[in-house]
Amino acid sequence: MEELRLDAELAARLRRATRAVALAGAGVSKESGLGTFRGAGGLWEDRRPEELATPEAFYRTPGKVWRWYAARYATAAAAAPNSAHHALARWESLFPSFLLVTQNVDDLHQRAGSRRLVALHGTLAEAVCDTCGRRRPMGEAVAASPAEPPACGVPGGGTGCRGRFRPAVVWFGENLPAAALETASRAAAACDLLLVAGTSALVYPAAGLIETALRAGACVVEINPEPTPFSRFAHLRLAAPAGAALPALTEAIASCRSMTG
Ligand code: OAD
């Protein structure tokens, strides 16, 4: 993407912003070779979420769900962060306060160096016991039991925990981790700049953070090749892939914030 030219009013808002938040979705990882969920070629195009991404599916067909997540984990583990993840990691040094709120479970933000981050939908990199809550690396759990979710068996309580490991992600019908949602909601309510990148903004409560930031009067920038329900409210909309648009936006912000006045 060519150098981004910002109009004077927008440049002034980006220069003054002190509390920035970014809401990221699957589109940010698209150029790392990971599929999005919705739209042509998306993970939900030829699969039904209720057969793979619900607690009921896990109890009905645990092996099928476990193997699907094991495969997604392997794909994510083999992927590398792209220029959009790297650009977002830079935002921590551009603003006095910055929080990255991601719906992605692939850990690519963390591998790109993002540290101030909440993972609203959990992580593929860990498995968690459905009974006692013990966590272990997903790679280790899959190596121990590739076809079926491994038993927990943590000692204590007589015969030990009778639970099974499941992926440490949020499924449809489940609550988001309360602390993560609370942190994200507070940040959205107090932010003066919200970046919405690579998300269809259809899944709540994540999409509600955009409404919260708009109500708070934040400047909203959207990066997405396709329009979303929030596009018409964006103060700046970059209809381009995040791998090109995010570095260009980051450069533009860095250069306008390095100016005095
Ligand atoms: P979606 O698949 O719903 O949306 C991905 C968005 O990325 C779409 O709006 C695309 O237009 C856009 N996109 C595609 N390529 C892009 C690119 N190169 N750069 C920027 N944007 C691009 O994914 P999410 O919004 O993340 O939840 O989905 C939200 C949640 O729904 C996911 O976290 C997952 C899913 O079901 C759970 O698993 C709980």
Side-chain angles (χ1 to χ4, degrees):
M1 192 169 168
E2 291 165 18
E3 192 187 331
L4 193 61
R5 298 206 168 276
L6 303 171
D7 72 44
E9 195 187 323
L10 188 68
R13 289 193 78 170
L14 295 176
R15 185 160 57 241
R16 282 197 308 267
T18 56
R19 298 173 309 279
V21 172
L23 175 66
V28 171
S29 295
K30 178 90 181 279
E31 288 150 275
S32 292
L34 302 183
T36 59
F37 293 92
R38 294 168 187 81
L43 288 172
W44 297 148
E45 189 182 36
D46 53 4
R47 295 175 187 85
R48 287 156 47 86
E50 52 273 37
E51 286 176 11
L52 291 163
T54 63
E56 293 77 15
F58 184 65
Y59 293 112
R60 211 168 37 235
T61 52
K64 177 179 170 184
V65 171
W66 181 251
R67 290 190 295 277
W68 190 63
Y69 277 94
R72 281 185 60 202
Y73 162 73
T75 307
N82 66 54
S83 49
H85 299 103
H86 289 296
L88 268 174
R90 252 186 95 192
W91 281 45
E92 293 184 7
S93 58
L94 287 179
F95 297 96
S97 157
F98 173 66
L99 182 70
L100 170 58
V101 180
T102 189
Q103 299 166 85
N104 298 347
V105 292
D106 54 32
D107 278 10
L108 291 178
H109 294 297
Q110 293 90 326
R111 282 188 260 157
S114 283
R115 294 293 170 263
R116 284 187 242 154
L117 150 149
V118 295
L120 276 187
H121 292 167
T123 175
L124 282 174
E126 286 182 343
V128 60
C129 172
D130 64 358
T131 303
C132 74
R134 180 164 74 100
R135 286 178 172 252
R136 67 194 286 201
M138 185 69 176
E140 182 194 295
V142 172
S145 178
E148 294 290 328
C152 177
V154 75
T159 53
C161 178
R162 290 171 175 268
R164 292 182 289 196
F165 281 96
R166 53 164 281 178
V169 299
V170 176
W171 280 326
F172 288 100
E174 294 186 314
N175 291 330
L176 269 52
L181 184 58
E182 169 76 14
T183 303
S185 302
R186 275 178 196 272
C191 75
D192 46 16
L193 171 62
L194 176 72
L195 169 68
V196 183
T199 177
S200 57
L202 293 171
V203 174
Y204 284 74
L209 298 170
I210 310 171
E211 295 168 11
T212 301
L214 283 166
R215 271 199 302 275
C219 176
V220 174
V221 178
E222 182 177 67
I223 294 178
N224 196 319
E226 305 295 332
T228 75
F230 292 95
S231 296
R232 66 198 179 96
F233 302 110
H235 300 86
L236 174 65
R237 183 174 143 67
L238 302 173
L246 237 159
L249 174 68
T250 305
E251 261 326 303
I253 292 176
S255 79
C256 80
R257 290 180 74 84
S258 67
M259 293 179 208
T260 50

